[in-house]
């Protein structure tokens, strides 16, 4: 009799579980952050759009031949400074050379580890090769942190998902 009660109890529990719309499939959702507004100086924001307490700033730029490949003509040479980045292991932002209409002519993701100055400041010299450097009107930073993309639901249904940064900036993007 006790065995019969246990069987009925187990069957009832399974029925309640099935009827309550619970399933054994993992609920996995991907969300992508919206791209923030590009400027010469930005507050870096996480995938939720919240400021991380870090600024990234283009502190100067010019067109000149790269010293290792001077025959290629002018490249965009800029200095990028991260303030407040020493509190995190990694932060990365997209930096783009743009024309006067703010259309990206060339972009690159720059990690805070690449930016280190002689006095311990987080300023780095970065080079960007673009097809028409004569059209560059400004160098802009996009505020979204690109350092942690994470797995998507498509890649791993169980452990993937969550918030992801926007797609990296590319040539032709309106900034």
């Amino acid at each position: 009799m006790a065995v019969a009660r246990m069987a009925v109890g187990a069957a009832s529990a399974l029925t309640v579980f099935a009827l309550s719309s619970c399933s054994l499939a993992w609920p996995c959702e991907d969300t992508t952050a919206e791209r923030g507004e590009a400027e010469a100086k930005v507050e870096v924001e996480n995938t939720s759009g919240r400021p991380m307490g870090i600024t990234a700033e283009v502190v100067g730029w010019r067109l000149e031949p790269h010293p290792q490949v001077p025959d290629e003509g002018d490249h965009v040479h800029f200095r990028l400074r991260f303030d407040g980045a020493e509190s995190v292991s990694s932060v990365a932002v997209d930096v783009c050379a743009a024309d006067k209409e703010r259309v990206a002519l060339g972009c690159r993701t720059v990690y805070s580890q690449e930016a280190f100055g002689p006095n311990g400041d987080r300023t780095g010299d970065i080079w960007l090769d673009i097809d028409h450097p004569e059209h560059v009107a400004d160098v802009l930073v996009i505020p979204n942190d690109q350092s942690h993309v994470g797995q998507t639901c498509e890649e791993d249904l169980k452990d993937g998902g969550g918030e992801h940064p926007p797609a990296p900036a590319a040539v032709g993007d309106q900034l």
Side-chain angles (χ1 to χ4, degrees):
M1 190 65 137
V3 172
R5 277 191 216 141
M6 284 177 46
V8 169
S12 296
L14 286 174
T15 302
V16 168
F17 183 70
L19 293 175
S20 68
S21 298
C22 293
S23 73
L24 298 176
W26 295 100
C28 188
E29 292 183 20
D30 285 315
T31 58
T32 302
E34 266 190 54
R35 184 177 291 163
E37 176 134 3
E39 297 294 338
K41 181 179 182 178
V42 297
E43 283 250 3
V44 180
E45 53 190 50
N46 64 20
T47 54
S48 301
R50 291 188 207 109
M52 298 176 67
I54 299 168
T55 59
E57 178 181 11
V58 175
V59 291
W61 69 272
R62 61 188 174 275
L63 298 176
E64 62 185 351
H66 191 289
Q68 294 177 342
V69 285
D71 296 349
E72 290 183 2
D74 283 343
H75 287 64
V76 179
H77 179 202
F78 63 94
R79 293 180 50 75
L80 183 68
R81 181 176 60 226
F82 288 92
D83 288 323
E86 44 291 320
S87 63
V88 295
S89 61
S90 178
V91 66
V93 291
D94 286 339
V95 181
C96 299
D99 66 13
K100 63 183 177 180
E101 319 271 300
R102 294 176 61 101
V103 174
L105 300 172
C107 299
R108 177 171 171 202
T109 301
V110 179
Y111 288 79
S112 57
Q113 296 94 314
E114 294 178 72
F116 50 88
N119 301 323
D121 64 350
R122 291 269 188 183
T123 304
D125 282 307
I126 314 293
W127 294 85
L128 185 58
D129 182 23
I130 61 172
D131 288 338
H132 296 285
E134 68 276 6
H135 294 154
V136 176
D138 210 349
V139 177
L140 303 171
V141 183
I142 299 171
N144 307 88
D145 178 26
Q146 294 282 345
S147 64
H148 179 71
V149 175
Q151 292 182 322
T152 64
C153 292
E154 187 176 286
E155 294 167 336
D156 188 341
L157 185 63
K158 180 178 173 263
D159 297 322
E163 298 173 333
H164 303 285
V171 173
D173 284 358
Q174 180 69 51
L175 306 176

